[in-house]
Amino acid sequence: MPSGSRYSLTRLYNVLWEAYGPQGWWPARTPTEVAIGAVLTQNTSWRNVERAIAALETADLLDFRRLHEVEEAALAECIRPAGTFRVKARRLKALAAWVWHRGSGSLEAALRGDGRVIRADLLYVPGIGPETADAILLYAGKHARFVVDAYTRRILIRHGWIGPDATYEAIQDRFERRLPPDAGMFNEYHALLVELGKRHCRARARCKGCPLESWPHDADAS
Ligand code: SF4
């Protein structure tokens, strides 16, 4: 099987889908929650994100207009459960300012238009890197952008599809060039890779029983 080809990427998707089924991502109720969660989840567990989001809801801050107005220090206290809360408060304020300027306070309006242009604009927001920008574009804006995370990178390296020095953009390009631009599929594909990573392709691989166990791989590659 040619590595990383359209055929193999489709087959990988089908194997994961058959193994795990629909993942129902992103775990949020609204696009605003998705975007806020995408910042809060940086370097912490989802359980901590949920606690911070609950605190934001109690404080009536699950709204970009309110986030734009609130004092940064008060916001930081509110999201303390998410860890590195001062940094994340600064980032949420920067994202809220972006939504304010680009969409007059409406995230939906800010995310409307050409996904590539919006992505380039989002990357100017302090603290918004490629993974966070793509998560917001895909899960909040329904743009067909493939989200690359540490699990995706590790799985592809261990199966010899990319080298250890592959950039984020090179990995993303591999998926986006070889698969149809289908936001629904990209949504599930990323979620399925995360599920595979959490269950099997951890720092120490658990290949026994993995859906990809029979595929050529090097479990020690990283
Ligand atoms: S077979 Fe091993 S290396 Fe491949 S995805 Fe599963 S756990 Fe990772």
Side-chain angles (χ1 to χ4, degrees):
M1 181 173 62
S3 65
S5 66
R6 172 191 286 261
Y7 169 73
S8 56
L9 290 179
T10 302
R11 185 167 165 235
L12 172 59
Y13 178 75
N14 290 338
V15 166
L16 295 178
W17 176 272
E18 280 170 25
Y20 301 138
Q23 298 298 295
W25 272 39
W26 180 285
R29 292 165 296 183
T30 65
T32 295
E33 249 187 64
V34 170
I36 292 171
V39 172
L40 294 177
T41 196
Q42 295 170 346
N43 305 312
T44 195
S45 69
W46 190 254
R47 180 185 294 268
N48 291 336
V49 174
E50 286 177 330
R51 291 169 60 210
I53 285 187
L56 286 170
E57 185 168 27
T58 300
D60 194 23
L61 287 172
L62 280 181
D63 178 288
F64 275 108
R65 290 185 181 86
R66 295 270 297 123
L67 280 180
H68 187 52
E69 292 163 358
V70 71
E71 290 288 333
E72 189 174 308
L75 176 59
E77 273 310 309
C78 195
I79 62 168
R80 188 180 274 266
T84 56
F85 52 94
R86 291 191 186 88
V87 172
K88 289 179 180 175
R90 200 177 317 132
R91 291 176 178 176
L92 282 178
K93 289 291 290 179
L95 182 60
W98 181 82
V99 172
W100 184 262
H101 291 298
R102 191 178 170 91
S104 301
S106 161
L107 178 66
E108 188 186 15
L111 293 177
R112 203 177 291 138
D114 185 326
R116 287 182 188 276
V117 173
I118 300 167
R119 184 180 193 268
D121 202 31
L122 256 180
L123 289 176
Y124 278 109
V125 179
I128 304 295
E131 184 181 341
T132 305
D134 288 326
I136 292 171
L137 284 163
L138 176 63
Y139 290 103
K142 307 281 186 267
H143 289 281
R145 300 303 312 220
F146 201 91
V147 180
V148 178
D149 73 337
Y151 286 130
T152 304
R153 169 181 290 277
R154 183 188 289 157
I155 292 162
L156 265 60
I157 289 174
R158 286 177 173 171
H159 286 266
W161 288 4
I162 59 169
D165 298 328
T167 64
Y168 182 100
E169 279 70 23
I171 300 169
Q172 182 181 56
D173 203 52
R174 178 172 293 256
F175 284 91
E176 291 187 357
R177 281 184 185 274
R178 292 166 170 80
L179 297 170
D182 180 341
M185 183 200 199
F186 286 4
N187 173 330
E188 284 296 346
Y189 210 147
H190 173 60
L192 288 164
L193 286 167
V194 170
E195 191 63 19
L196 177 69
K198 287 199 294 195
R199 290 192 192 209
H200 292 281
C201 214
R202 302 174 173 197
R204 186 186 291 258
R206 296 177 173 182
C207 299
K208 191 168 171 47
C210 175
L212 307 189
E213 187 178 1
S214 64
W215 295 33
H217 62 272
D218 173 1
D220 296 322
S222 63

